[in-house]
Short mmCIF file of all heavy atoms in Angstrom, two decimals:
data_model
loop_
_atom_site.label_atom_id
_atom_site.label_comp_id
_atom_site.label_asym_id
_atom_site.label_seq_id
_atom_site.Cartn_x
_atom_site.Cartn_y
_atom_site.Cartn_z
N PRO F 290 18.38 28.47 15.64
CA PRO F 290 18.88 27.81 16.87
C PRO F 290 17.73 27.29 17.74
O PRO F 290 17.81 26.18 18.27
CB PRO F 290 19.65 28.93 17.58
CG PRO F 290 20.00 29.91 16.52
CD PRO F 290 18.89 29.84 15.50
N ALA F 291 16.68 28.09 17.84
CA ALA F 291 15.55 27.68 18.69
C ALA F 291 14.87 26.43 18.12
O ALA F 291 14.46 25.54 18.87
CB ALA F 291 14.54 28.81 18.79
N LEU F 292 14.77 26.35 16.80
CA LEU F 292 14.15 25.17 16.17
C LEU F 292 15.00 23.93 16.43
O LEU F 292 14.48 22.86 16.76
CB LEU F 292 13.98 25.39 14.67
CG LEU F 292 12.81 26.28 14.24
CD1 LEU F 292 12.86 26.56 12.75
CD2 LEU F 292 11.48 25.65 14.63
N LEU F 293 16.30 24.06 16.26
CA LEU F 293 17.19 22.92 16.47
C LEU F 293 17.12 22.48 17.94
O LEU F 293 17.10 21.30 18.26
CB LEU F 293 18.62 23.27 16.07
CG LEU F 293 18.80 23.58 14.56
CD1 LEU F 293 20.22 24.05 14.27
CD2 LEU F 293 18.47 22.35 13.71
N GLU F 294 17.05 23.48 18.81
CA GLU F 294 16.93 23.23 20.25
C GLU F 294 15.66 22.44 20.55
O GLU F 294 15.62 21.54 21.39
CB GLU F 294 16.90 24.59 20.97
CG GLU F 294 16.72 24.52 22.47
CD GLU F 294 17.96 23.97 23.18
OE1 GLU F 294 19.07 24.02 22.60
OE2 GLU F 294 17.80 23.50 24.31
N LEU F 295 14.63 22.75 19.80
CA LEU F 295 13.31 22.12 19.96
C LEU F 295 13.32 20.64 19.56
O LEU F 295 12.43 19.87 19.93
CB LEU F 295 12.35 22.86 19.04
CG LEU F 295 10.90 22.97 19.41
CD1 LEU F 295 10.76 23.95 20.56
CD2 LEU F 295 10.10 23.47 18.21
N GLY F 296 14.31 20.26 18.74
CA GLY F 296 14.35 18.87 18.29
C GLY F 296 14.17 18.72 16.79
O GLY F 296 14.09 17.60 16.28
N VAL F 297 14.09 19.84 16.08
CA VAL F 297 14.04 19.78 14.62
C VAL F 297 15.46 19.49 14.14
O VAL F 297 16.40 20.18 14.53
CB VAL F 297 13.52 21.11 14.01
CG1 VAL F 297 13.47 21.01 12.49
CG2 VAL F 297 12.17 21.44 14.58
N ARG F 298 15.62 18.46 13.31
CA ARG F 298 16.99 18.01 13.01
C ARG F 298 17.61 18.73 11.82
O ARG F 298 18.83 18.77 11.68
CB ARG F 298 16.98 16.51 12.77
CG ARG F 298 16.36 15.71 13.93
CD ARG F 298 17.41 15.29 14.92
NE ARG F 298 18.23 14.24 14.34
CZ ARG F 298 17.89 12.96 14.31
NH1 ARG F 298 16.75 12.58 14.84
NH2 ARG F 298 18.68 12.08 13.76
N GLY F 299 16.77 19.28 10.95
CA GLY F 299 17.33 19.98 9.80
C GLY F 299 16.33 21.00 9.29
O GLY F 299 15.14 20.73 9.26
N VAL F 300 16.82 22.20 8.94
CA VAL F 300 15.94 23.23 8.41
C VAL F 300 16.55 23.75 7.11
O VAL F 300 17.74 24.08 7.06
CB VAL F 300 15.77 24.40 9.41
CG1 VAL F 300 14.84 25.47 8.82
CG2 VAL F 300 15.21 23.89 10.74
N PHE F 301 15.75 23.79 6.07
CA PHE F 301 16.24 24.20 4.75
C PHE F 301 15.45 25.42 4.28
O PHE F 301 14.22 25.37 4.18
CB PHE F 301 16.10 23.06 3.75
CG PHE F 301 16.85 21.82 4.19
CD1 PHE F 301 16.24 20.88 5.02
CD2 PHE F 301 18.17 21.64 3.84
CE1 PHE F 301 16.93 19.77 5.45
CE2 PHE F 301 18.88 20.53 4.27
CZ PHE F 301 18.25 19.58 5.09
N THR F 302 16.15 26.49 4.03
CA THR F 302 15.48 27.74 3.67
C THR F 302 15.74 28.04 2.19
O THR F 302 16.52 27.33 1.54
CB THR F 302 15.99 28.88 4.58
OG1 THR F 302 17.41 28.84 4.57
CG2 THR F 302 15.48 28.70 5.99
N PRO F 303 15.08 29.06 1.63
CA PRO F 303 15.23 29.34 0.20
C PRO F 303 16.70 29.40 -0.22
O PRO F 303 17.53 29.97 0.49
CB PRO F 303 14.55 30.70 0.05
CG PRO F 303 13.51 30.71 1.10
CD PRO F 303 14.10 29.96 2.25
N GLY F 304 16.99 28.77 -1.34
CA GLY F 304 18.37 28.73 -1.82
C GLY F 304 19.02 27.39 -1.55
O GLY F 304 20.01 27.02 -2.18
N ALA F 305 18.44 26.61 -0.63
CA ALA F 305 18.98 25.27 -0.35
C ALA F 305 18.79 24.38 -1.58
O ALA F 305 17.77 24.47 -2.26
CB ALA F 305 18.28 24.66 0.86
N HIS F 306 19.78 23.55 -1.88
CA HIS F 306 19.65 22.63 -3.01
C HIS F 306 18.92 21.37 -2.56
O HIS F 306 19.10 20.92 -1.43
CB HIS F 306 21.05 22.27 -3.53
CG HIS F 306 21.02 21.71 -4.92
ND1 HIS F 306 20.66 20.41 -5.17
CD2 HIS F 306 21.27 22.28 -6.12
CE1 HIS F 306 20.71 20.19 -6.48
NE2 HIS F 306 21.07 21.32 -7.08
N THR F 307 18.10 20.80 -3.47
CA THR F 307 17.36 19.59 -3.08
C THR F 307 18.31 18.46 -2.71
O THR F 307 17.98 17.63 -1.86
CB THR F 307 16.42 19.12 -4.21
OG1 THR F 307 17.18 19.03 -5.42
CG2 THR F 307 15.26 20.07 -4.41
N ALA F 308 19.50 18.46 -3.32
CA ALA F 308 20.47 17.40 -3.01
C ALA F 308 20.88 17.45 -1.54
O ALA F 308 21.19 16.42 -0.93
CB ALA F 308 21.70 17.55 -3.90
N GLU F 309 20.85 18.65 -0.95
CA GLU F 309 21.20 18.77 0.48
C GLU F 309 20.17 18.04 1.33
O GLU F 309 20.50 17.41 2.33
CB GLU F 309 21.21 20.24 0.92
CG GLU F 309 22.31 21.09 0.33
CD GLU F 309 22.12 22.57 0.68
OE1 GLU F 309 21.72 22.87 1.83
OE2 GLU F 309 22.34 23.41 -0.21
#
Side-chain angles (χ1 to χ4, degrees):
Chain F
L292 282 173
L293 296 174
E294 178 71 21
L295 210 73
V297 181
R298 305 269 288 278
V300 180
F301 302 88
T302 50
H306 198 282
T307 51
E309 292 172 39

